[in-house]
Amino acid sequence: MARFTVDTCDEDFLCRSIGHGEWHETSADLRSFTAWALTGRAVPHRLPSWLHTDQHAWTGVWTAPQYITAAAAYQQAHDRVVAEFEEQQRIQEAERRRREAERRARVAALAAAPPKPPAQQPAVPEQGRRTAPRPEPEWQVNLPSREREHLHTAAVAETRLLLGVNAQPRHRDGDRRWALGTPLATVARRCVHIRTA
């Protein structure tokens, strides 16, 4: 005799989904077996595959009808899970092939595109290159007297505009000691130095 059981199993995806079902050999005394067979509680059943035990290999067994029903339900669940798994595998493979085709198309498009010109780098000034020197300003002492007077008048006007004071040129000699500027003085003896260059 044999019975069918379904046990939990974590070996693979299939077993985790529906468990692990298999037939096991069992035994009964002659009196019980005769009573079960005569009342339909034990019936003959052909297994879909060999049932191997320590001493025998069976293709047909006596079993209870509920075990036959449980084995058929397990087989249907097994077939359904396998079909769903294979469908998922086909979908994933199709998606992988699609992505691979898109990648190859992008690579081919890049290979066929004309090369881009190199980006222009900003011009770097030559090391050690010097700019032209600034022209030396002309000293007041070298100016004609009329131009010196115009320069002094402009300095006074600039002082009035910027500082709001009335100043007068303190020295009109335009000497180099005034650093190219015009020294001015106010009534309060506050001196400022205006360079109008």
Side-chain angles (χ1 to χ4, degrees):
M1 294 189 65
R3 59 189 178 89
F4 185 83
T5 60
V6 178
D7 300 322
T8 57
C9 178
D10 294 330
E11 290 183 2
D12 52 32
F13 170 76
L14 183 61
C15 288
R16 288 193 298 271
S17 299
I18 60 175
H20 186 73
E22 61 181 349
W23 287 94
H24 299 276
E25 185 180 21
T26 186
S27 61
D29 59 83
L30 181 60
R31 182 185 297 273
S32 298
F33 170 74
T34 303
W36 295 342
L38 293 176
T39 58
R41 295 171 59 191
V43 295
H45 177 65
R46 180 167 294 277
L47 300 175
S49 60
W50 288 86
L51 172 61
H52 295 276
T53 63
D54 293 338
Q55 299 178 354
H56 305 283
W58 307 95
T59 57
V61 294
W62 284 84
T63 187
Q66 63 265 27
Y67 293 139
I68 298 174
T69 303
Y74 176 84
Q75 187 62 44
Q76 291 179 357
H78 176 277
D79 295 343
R80 183 181 67 255
V81 171
V82 169
E84 292 174 354
F85 177 76
E86 291 176 349
E87 180 64 20
Q88 291 177 1
Q89 292 293 100
R90 283 193 293 269
I91 292 174
Q92 293 175 0
E93 179 64 17
E95 180 65 17
R96 187 193 67 79
R97 291 176 180 270
R98 183 188 65 79
R99 289 196 302 266
E100 179 64 17
E102 290 179 353
R103 186 192 68 80
R104 291 185 179 182
R106 287 195 300 269
V107 171
L110 290 175
K116 295 182 178 180
Q120 293 184 353
Q121 299 294 332
V124 178
E126 298 179 7
Q127 297 295 330
R129 188 175 182 181
R130 297 181 179 178
T131 58
R134 297 179 61 183
E136 181 69 22
E138 189 171 5
W139 293 86
Q140 287 190 45
V141 72
N142 298 330
L143 293 174
S145 61
R146 171 172 254 174
E147 291 186 18
R148 281 204 304 269
E149 287 301 322
H150 286 306
L151 182 62
H152 294 162
T153 302
V156 171
E158 191 76 9
T159 303
R160 185 180 300 112
L161 178 64
L162 295 177
L163 304 178
V165 296
N166 292 320
Q168 297 297 326
R170 186 170 184 180
H171 300 279
R172 293 177 177 270
D173 55 3
D175 194 81
R176 284 179 169 84
R177 69 180 182 273
W178 307 122
L180 302 177
T182 301
L184 302 176
T186 64
V187 177
R189 307 288 293 175
R190 294 176 184 170
C191 296
V192 295
H193 182 263
I194 298 295
R195 178 178 173 183
T196 57

